[in-house]
Amino acid sequence: MVGMSLSHVLLGLLADRSASGYDLLKRFDISLANVWPARQSQIYTELGQLSEGGLIKVAAEGPRGRKEYAITDAGLAELRRWLTETNPKKIGRNEPLARVFFLGVLTRDQAVAYLVEMAAQAARGSDKHKATDESVAWDDSGLAIYGRLALEWGHRYAAMEREWAQWAADQIATQ
Amino acid sequence: MVGMSLSHVLLGLLADRSASGYDLLKRFDISLANVWPARQSQIYTELGQLSEGGLIKVAAEGPRGRKEYAITDAGLAELRRWLTETNPKKIGRNEPLARVFFLGVLTRDQAVAYLVEMAAQAARGSDKHKATDESVAWDDSGLAIYGRLALEWGHRYAAMEREWAQWAADQIATQ
DNA sequence: TGAACCATGTAAACAGTTACATGATTAA
DNA sequence: TTAATCATGTAACTGTTTACATGGTTCA
């Protein structure tokens, strides 16, 4: 097990259903893009390593060199071990918020504009969430059930950020 | 300019006040640890590169080989350029939330326990924020003013996550 | 027949973490 | 005198991004 997190995310997606690298890439885009982004090259590399390590296997080959991967028993055990016996590291990087610390080097107008833009971005995020919610064909698989919980998190996050950014812009503007 | 983000964060801290690598390391811990963590080795390496690039300079040398860095005019210009002319990438990794997607491979009790622990963690985060707020000697520098806004963000974030996790645990438990 | 999409793979560069390594100064 | 703190630096490794490279299949 080389990559500690992307590898487990891939195991999680394959636990829901077998898929090719290409399928997984698209599934990332609709579900995990906001919490664990991954590039095409990284996904293919990681699939190769997981396969070599016996945590997934090529279950079928299709046209255009398509390889459909399925999780193995060892992979499922590893996924469960990761979820129950290791702690997620909670610290995450947040560039938009990191920038806020340094707005003091700009003019007040520029700082307010930055915060207003953050609020607008959050509002746009809300709309996008709503659209995703309506467009995704939710089945009753575990991934769909928990994916909807995560979507609700995104909804609340966007609302919180919009309100905070409006409040912050007001603090600076009326200071 | 090699590192795109840590380098700018260091410029931002040095714009507030000159400091040594050691000082910066501690300032990270109290202010930026939750939005842009950085290790000692990374900070020292980056300071070397910024210095080589003329964005900061050694303003004074003290005991034990201490080097106090100060931002240069070029560095301040670069910081402003970064803040006003480039867009922050908003996507960030969130491992605790990423794991939520895959709770379907666990038993219901295990999944609920995971969400309850997330709520507890968020509650502990709230307490820690309050403690930080009270312990930090806030001056009226730009960094202090905007740092307080970021602290309020952390406060609201923790409250949102606590409420969401409680709601989510309830959804699964009573399903 | 050409555009859109399906599908995979590698190499180089960059960013971040862990581990190692050293030594001076201060305060109890 | 010894423990805590101050202070810097490098090497190896892991993880991520960008760029390059190739070609098959489907549908209008």
Side-chain angles (χ1 to χ4, degrees):
Chain A
M1 178 107 311
V2 181
M4 190 56 197
S5 289
L6 176 60
S7 54
H8 289 99
V9 170
L10 291 173
L11 288 177
L13 288 172
L14 290 173
D16 182 58
R17 125 171 61 108
S18 296
S20 68
Y22 191 82
D23 293 337
L24 291 166
L25 182 62
K26 281 179 300 167
R27 288 224 256 155
F28 257 92
D29 284 344
I30 55 163
S31 59
L32 284 151
N34 298 303
V35 292
W36 207 269
R39 299 290 177 175
Q40 176 263 339
S41 70
Q42 208 191 347
I43 291 173
Y44 281 101
T45 305
E46 200 68 49
L47 285 172
Q49 287 172 246
L50 286 168
S51 184
E52 223 179 300
L55 300 182
I56 63 175
K57 62 173 196 285
V58 179
E61 304 207 24
R64 281 164 295 199
R66 183 176 200 273
K67 284 183 234 169
E68 185 161 281
Y69 290 99
I71 195 167
T72 62
D73 289 345
L76 191 56
E78 171 55 27
L79 178 60
R80 292 206 176 101
R81 188 199 65 79
W82 176 66
L83 286 170
T84 56
E85 288 168 37
T86 67
N87 289 118
K89 60 165 177 295
K90 51 186 189 319
I91 49 95
R93 297 190 156 74
N94 185 333
E95 190 179 328
L97 185 60
R99 290 185 179 211
V100 169
F101 281 84
F102 310 122
L103 295 178
V105 303
L106 301 181
T107 66
R108 185 181 303 191
D109 283 354
Q110 286 176 313
V112 169
Y114 181 86
L115 293 166
V116 167
E117 174 56 24
M118 262 185 96
Q121 198 105 43
R124 264 174 266 141
S126 270
D127 293 345
K128 220 175 118 192
H129 278 126
K130 217 168 288 178
T132 301
D133 198 11
E134 284 159 15
S135 74
V136 173
W138 299 106
D139 55 31
D140 60 350
S141 70
L143 197 65
I145 290 167
Y146 288 98
R148 272 197 305 263
L149 294 187
L151 195 69
E152 170 67 18
W153 185 96
H155 184 66
R156 293 180 185 214
Y157 180 89
M160 181 280 287
E161 190 147 287
R162 204 198 68 243
E163 283 162 32
W164 170 83
Q166 277 168 350
W167 167 84
D170 193 58
Q171 290 285 305
I172 301 303
T174 65
Q175 167 188 97
Chain B
M1 178 105 311
V2 183
M4 189 56 197
S5 289
L6 177 60
S7 53
H8 290 97
V9 170
L10 291 173
L11 288 177
L13 288 171
L14 290 173
D16 181 58
R17 126 171 61 109
S18 296
S20 66
Y22 191 82
D23 293 337
L24 291 165
L25 182 62
K26 281 179 301 169
R27 288 225 254 157
F28 258 92
D29 284 344
I30 56 163
S31 59
L32 284 153
N34 299 302
V35 292
W36 207 270
R39 300 289 177 175
Q40 175 263 340
S41 69
Q42 209 191 345
I43 291 173
Y44 281 100
T45 304
E46 201 68 49
L47 285 171
Q49 287 171 242
L50 286 169
S51 184
E52 223 179 300
L55 301 182
I56 63 175
K57 63 171 196 285
V58 178
E61 304 207 25
R64 281 163 296 200
R66 182 177 200 273
K67 284 184 235 170
E68 186 161 280
Y69 289 100
I71 195 167
T72 61
D73 289 345
L76 192 56
E78 170 56 25
L79 178 60
R80 291 205 176 101
R81 188 198 64 79
W82 176 65
L83 285 169
T84 56
E85 287 169 39
T86 68
N87 288 118
K89 61 164 174 307
K90 51 186 188 322
I91 49 96
R93 298 191 157 75
N94 185 334
E95 190 180 328
L97 186 60
R99 289 184 179 212
V100 169
F101 281 85
F102 310 122
L103 295 179
V105 303
L106 301 181
T107 65
R108 184 181 304 189
D109 283 355
Q110 285 177 314
V112 170
Y114 181 85
L115 293 166
V116 166
E117 174 56 25
M118 262 186 95
Q121 199 104 44
R124 264 175 267 143
S126 272
D127 293 346
K128 219 175 119 192
H129 277 127
K130 217 167 288 176
T132 302
D133 198 11
E134 284 159 15
S135 73
V136 173
W138 299 105
D139 55 31
D140 61 350
S141 69
L143 197 65
I145 289 166
Y146 289 97
R148 271 196 305 263
L149 294 186
L151 195 69
E152 171 67 17
W153 184 97
H155 184 65
R156 293 180 186 214
Y157 179 89
M160 181 280 285
E161 188 147 290
R162 204 198 67 244
E163 283 161 32
W164 170 84
Q166 278 168 350
W167 167 84
D170 195 58
Q171 291 284 305
I172 300 304
T174 65
Q175 169 188 94

